[in-house]
Amino acid sequence: GDSVTQMEGPVTLSEEAFLTINCTYTATGYPSLFWYVQYPGEGLQLLLKATKADDKGSNKGFEATYRKETTSFHLEKGSVQVSDSAVYFCALSVSPNAGGTSYGKLTFGQGTILTVHP
Amino acid sequence: DAGITQSPRHKVTETGTPVTLRCHQTENHRYMYWYRQDPGHGLRLIHYSYGVKDTDKGEVSDGYSVSRSKTEDFLLTLESATSSQTSVYFCAITREVMNTEAFFGQGTRLTVV
């Protein structure tokens, strides 16, 4: 079946440090890849996405590139801020064939807690 | 804001009692989902709906049922709550289904004692 594996957490960094959160996946069809972020007490919100191989998603200084050859979608940010402290989830949605529908169903990784200290 | 409201936001219930959680959306989107969030598991899909009266099972559907009698409401029912169903439950919608983002509600924290 489809699955997502994220690096073990939690991750603790100082402000302005470089961030990488690893994400790898297995998929039986045509995956689209997402990073969601959850701030304390809130629901998830989309951070960025990539829908085909070699696409790069970016938002708020975060980036991730869809690497089909390594089945990876690692999240990076060059300089983190205290306000980036949150839980980050890698997720995928798989269509059974090109142009088919996944019905929007998402498979999530276990989440990585990021804490950034001043 | 995708106009998603979950109710209740918090609930404590006893083992063996039925519980219904409600998800209400204001934008008439066709696709709605229920996920549960547990430490170490991320979010897992319980059930989803692709239209009024059209629902299907997700990864962890045992012990749960859903109903969607009108576009704006998607109900999740625990027929007989167990302690293993203590979790945070999130409702989500998508505006399309092709490679698009999901919008999540604020969540319902359910504790089964």
Side-chain angles (χ1 to χ4, degrees):
Chain A
D2 304 326
S3 67
V4 176
T5 302
Q6 287 182 234
M7 66 184 290
E8 295 292 328
V11 175
T12 302
L13 296 173
S14 297
E15 204 164 28
E16 300 184 1
F18 184 84
L19 169 70
T20 300
I21 301 177
N22 290 339
C23 172
T24 57
Y25 67 90
T26 59
T28 54
Y30 294 76
S32 296
L33 296 166
F34 306 84
W35 276 101
Y36 282 84
V37 59
Q38 183 180 32
Y39 298 102
E42 298 184 8
L44 281 70
Q45 54 187 276
L46 181 69
L47 181 59
L48 53 84
K49 69 177 183 181
T51 60
K52 59 183 187 294
D54 299 325
D55 270 2
K56 177 186 283 188
S58 61
N59 186 26
K60 300 180 181 180
F62 291 89
E63 293 183 338
T65 301
Y66 181 159
R67 302 285 188 200
K68 187 176 180 180
E69 63 275 15
T70 54
T71 62
S72 65
F73 192 55
H74 304 322
L75 182 68
E76 295 182 337
K77 186 175 186 183
S79 176
V80 294
Q81 305 301 311
V82 172
S83 58
D84 293 326
S85 298
V87 184
Y88 292 81
F89 293 93
C90 185
L92 84 159
S93 181
V94 181
S95 301
N97 48 61
T101 180
S102 64
Y103 289 99
K105 297 180 292 179
L106 291 166
T107 299
F108 286 88
Q110 67 267 41
T112 301
I113 300 172
L114 171 66
T115 302
V116 180
H117 292 297
Chain B
D1 183 4
I4 303 170
T5 304
Q6 291 186 231
S7 58
R9 293 292 314 280
H10 302 272
K11 186 171 182 67
V12 180
T13 192
E14 293 186 349
T15 298
T17 61
V19 177
T20 295
L21 309 182
R22 179 180 184 238
C23 178
H24 178 78
Q25 57 141 332
T26 59
E27 298 185 358
N28 284 328
H29 296 297
R30 180 178 173 190
Y31 298 89
M32 299 183 75
Y33 313 83
W34 277 107
Y35 291 88
R36 60 178 287 174
Q37 181 179 14
D38 304 289
H41 292 278
L43 279 77
R44 292 177 290 175
L45 182 65
I46 305 171
H47 282 278
Y48 66 103
S49 170
Y50 45 95
V52 173
K53 292 188 167 63
D54 291 324
T55 65
D56 205 349
K57 296 179 179 180
E59 178 188 355
V60 290
S61 60
D62 287 349
Y64 302 95
S65 62
V66 290
S67 66
R68 191 158 177 212
S69 59
K70 44 186 179 177
T71 301
E72 58 266 35
D73 288 327
F74 191 32
L75 304 181
L76 176 71
T77 297
L78 291 66
E79 303 289 348
S80 177
T82 68
S83 58
S84 65
Q85 293 175 311
T86 293
S87 186
V88 181
Y89 292 86
F90 286 98
C91 175
I93 62 100
T94 54
R95 292 182 168 142
E96 313 165 11
V97 285
M98 297 299 291
N99 309 323
T100 189
E101 69 179 290
F103 294 87
F104 287 81
Q106 297 279 75
T108 295
R109 182 173 294 277
L110 177 68
T111 302
V112 183
V113 297

